[in-house]
Amino acid sequence: MRVTDEVFIGGKWVPATSGRQLAVRSPSTGEVVGRVPEAGPDDVEAAVRAARQAFDEGPWPAMTPAARAQVMQAFLDQLAARAEELAQTITAENGTPVSVVKPAQVDNGLDVLRFYTETAAELAVETPRAGRYSPLVVRGEPVGTVAAIIPWNVPFFLAMMKVAPALAAGCTIVLKAAPETPLNANIVAEAAEAAGLPPGVLNVLAAGPEPSELLVTHPGIDKVAFTGSTAVGRRIASLAGAQLKRVTLELGGKSAAIVLDDVDLAKTLQRLVPVTLFLSGQFCIAQSRVLVPRGRYDEAVEGFAAIARALPVGDPQEATTFLGPLISQKQRDRVLGYIETGRREGAAVVTGGGVPAGLDQGWYVEPTVFRDVRPDMRIAQEEIFGPVVAFIPYTDEDEAVAIANDTAFGLHGTVWTDDIERGLRIGRRIRTGTFGVNGISLDPTAPFGGVKQSGLGRELGLEGLSAYLEPKTMTVPAGTPLPGLS
């Protein structure tokens, strides 16, 4: 049980002003596992003011990237030393099973911070160019103060996707944690304090929608980095657009896994389990639509359903558990509602479809497999964010590509084949920001993000760093010698 009545602002733990507490509940039991203050308007104001002062007057933006990298390394060391604590805390907050929480939630986040620490150590702030008319220098300057707003599903990893490149660029940050998972964010704040980040460089709050909107619209914030639903992303884009404020939006998905006719089907179905049902389907790149050739459709549906039926569902603290609970009763009810919608539209539940027997306490849903799904059904078009997989048949590659692209989203997709070149050819035809042949991966060195209603901009890689840098061009008279130009 972690309990605090303070928020981390300006390098110090200070009493929150709202007078309200957020009760953090275990999704597996419903019991309270922690309490933190809910930030109010005055807390948001103080956090932005601290970040603004740290950017305008503090040392962080003026430091060389290599000097920032030294502090980031200390930050990384502090977090790595508390990796097990982070993992245990995330399991308690959002129900990620202990069997996967450390590699999938914590280690990936640490690797993102490690990549940007290494990148900062070698980053060149200025690049000389000969120019068409006269020599010039292009500088990469930090964009300013950043509002980093993260959801509850993979909170530490998503925090590092925003905090790490912002730090490397020289920005200052207000990190706004989801009210469901604020406890791991406070560990991040403690690590920043112990690492010696200058006051105000990283400020950490937890809050619901209204304080978050104040943060987004605050004139002291220069950029918003958001991960979450498409509906909230639209709202943020409209608010930021009115102020011409920079935004990065990583939003929803409805990814398709295209199974080709050349695969070993039994092996492929086993490999589809983690990319469809990890975190009980509560991850944005879940391959929630599985497209299978008509000639192998029945075999694929029955084979996958048999695997899903046997998956261990239960207490996330148990080492054998594969599927834990959903984040809340509201989310469980939403997912069950989609299952009923699928039935009403004419799809058939092959396995699952309800609450697992003996798991009435907590917010569990059985792994659910639908067959006879048409591409226009809601369960094939809308992001469910639960352990629900829709199997859709196709006749040939052209139809598979058309079905995969028949969605408002474009975040991820996969193809499953024994012919890698064939898989890449299909990948080039799928309109997504990220695509995988025989698997999914969020590599720290590669850009990640979506097209269509899956978002704006990119995170990770050098492209993710560029989102926190403003290019400035400085010209000098023709004939002026510049270092680095021959």
Side-chain angles (χ1 to χ4, degrees):
M1 174 78 75
R2 290 178 63 94
V3 178
T4 180
D5 59 0
E6 295 179 319
V7 290
F8 188 67
I9 295 175
K12 298 181 291 186
W13 293 93
V14 297
T17 64
S18 71
R20 297 187 299 272
Q21 286 266 313
L22 293 168
V24 183
R25 295 187 179 275
S26 162
S28 59
T29 66
E31 297 174 351
V32 175
V33 295
R35 294 184 187 276
V36 302
E38 180 181 11
D42 290 343
D43 302 308
V44 170
E45 179 65 36
V48 175
R49 186 167 58 248
R52 186 81 259 167
Q53 183 175 2
F55 185 79
D56 293 338
E57 303 173 18
W60 192 251
M63 292 169 64
T64 65
R68 288 196 291 265
Q70 292 182 338
V71 183
M72 291 174 67
Q73 182 63 53
F75 185 36
L76 173 61
D77 292 343
Q78 289 289 332
L79 289 169
R82 300 179 70 173
E84 290 295 339
E85 182 185 2
L86 278 164
Q88 293 168 11
T89 301
I90 294 169
T91 293
E93 289 182 293
N94 77 0
T96 302
V98 294
S99 58
V100 296
V101 65
K102 188 170 180 294
Q105 295 260 14
V106 178
D107 291 348
N108 283 349
L110 292 174
D111 207 24
V112 171
L113 179 55
R114 187 174 295 111
F115 168 72
Y116 282 113
T117 299
E118 294 167 352
T119 299
E122 304 294 330
L123 184 65
V125 174
E126 297 187 352
T127 305
R129 298 183 189 178
R132 178 80 60 155
Y133 308 115
S134 67
L136 55 90
V137 174
V138 178
R139 283 178 53 83
E141 297 186 342
V143 71
T145 54
V146 175
I149 303 174
I150 58 172
W152 44 261
N153 59 336
V154 275
F156 176 71
F157 175 59
L158 293 172
M160 290 302 105
M161 285 175 69
K162 294 160 179 56
V163 169
L167 291 176
C171 298
T172 61
I173 307 135
V174 178
L175 174 63
K176 204 290 293 181
E180 296 87 353
T181 53
L183 304 180
N184 73 93
N186 280 354
I187 296 175
V188 172
E190 292 165 3
E193 182 182 26
L197 248 66
V201 170
L202 178 63
N203 309 272
V204 179
L205 305 170
E210 291 183 12
S212 300
E213 190 156 314
L214 288 175
L215 178 61
V216 168
T217 57
H218 197 292
I221 292 293
D222 297 307
K223 172 183 169 61
V224 179
F226 171 76
T227 297
S229 72
T230 296
V232 177
R234 286 195 193 98
R235 176 65 176 165
I236 289 174
S238 66
L239 294 171
Q243 299 178 331
L244 295 181
K245 189 171 293 187
R246 281 98 178 109
V247 292
T248 304
L249 304 174
E250 193 268 283
L251 308 177
K254 194 65 181 177
S255 301
I258 301 174
V259 179
L260 298 186
D261 54 10
D262 61 357
V263 298
D264 181 321
L265 191 57
K267 290 181 180 178
T268 299
L269 294 177
Q270 290 284 352
R271 295 165 72 185
L272 283 171
V273 171
V275 304
T276 55
L277 294 172
F278 167 72
L279 202 59
S280 295
Q282 298 174 117
F283 65 116
C284 58
I285 60 173
Q287 309 294 293
S288 55
R289 297 180 295 153
V290 179
L291 281 49
V292 183
R294 291 185 185 278
R296 308 190 76 178
Y297 185 73
D298 291 340
E299 179 188 2
V301 170
E302 293 302 325
F304 189 85
I307 296 169
R309 207 174 285 124
L311 291 173
V313 181
D315 185 353
Q317 301 288 349
E318 294 291 334
T320 56
T321 295
F322 180 78
L323 269 78
L326 301 188
I327 187 66
S328 65
Q329 181 178 339
K330 178 181 177 182
Q331 181 66 12
R332 182 191 65 183
D333 293 346
R334 179 178 183 273
V335 171
L336 292 174
Y338 267 108
I339 292 171
E340 289 308 307
T341 296
R343 287 185 169 116
R344 285 196 306 272
E345 291 184 327
V349 173
V350 185
T351 190
V355 175
L359 290 174
D360 297 329
Q361 186 181 32
W363 303 304
Y364 293 89
V365 172
E366 294 174 304
T368 300
V369 178
F370 274 101
R371 64 167 296 145
D372 304 330
V373 179
R374 298 189 312 273
D376 63 342
M377 289 181 175
R378 286 183 62 194
I379 59 170
Q381 288 291 328
E382 299 178 18
E383 185 175 44
I384 298 173
F385 229 57
V388 180
V389 184
F391 273 74
I392 303 172
Y394 70 86
T395 301
D396 55 28
E397 284 186 16
D398 287 343
E399 185 182 16
V401 169
I403 293 171
N405 285 333
D406 181 21
T407 172
F409 300 102
L411 187 58
H412 205 289
T414 56
V415 65
W416 302 81
T417 177
D418 287 342
D419 184 339
I420 301 301
E421 284 301 319
R422 183 184 179 194
L424 289 172
R425 286 197 301 271
I426 290 176
R428 294 183 185 106
R429 300 175 65 189
I430 305 300
R431 194 160 177 235
T432 61
T434 318
F435 193 84
V437 178
N438 297 339
I440 60 176
S441 175
L442 298 184
D443 192 302
T445 70
F448 171 71
V451 300
K452 298 191 279 187
Q453 293 186 25
S454 287
L456 299 171
R458 293 294 181 266
E459 296 185 297
L460 300 179
L462 294 179
E463 292 82 358
L465 177 60
S466 69
Y468 295 88
L469 292 168
E470 289 281 15
K472 175 192 282 185
T473 299
M474 300 190 299
T475 61
V476 297
T480 303
L482 283 179
L485 287 181
S486 56

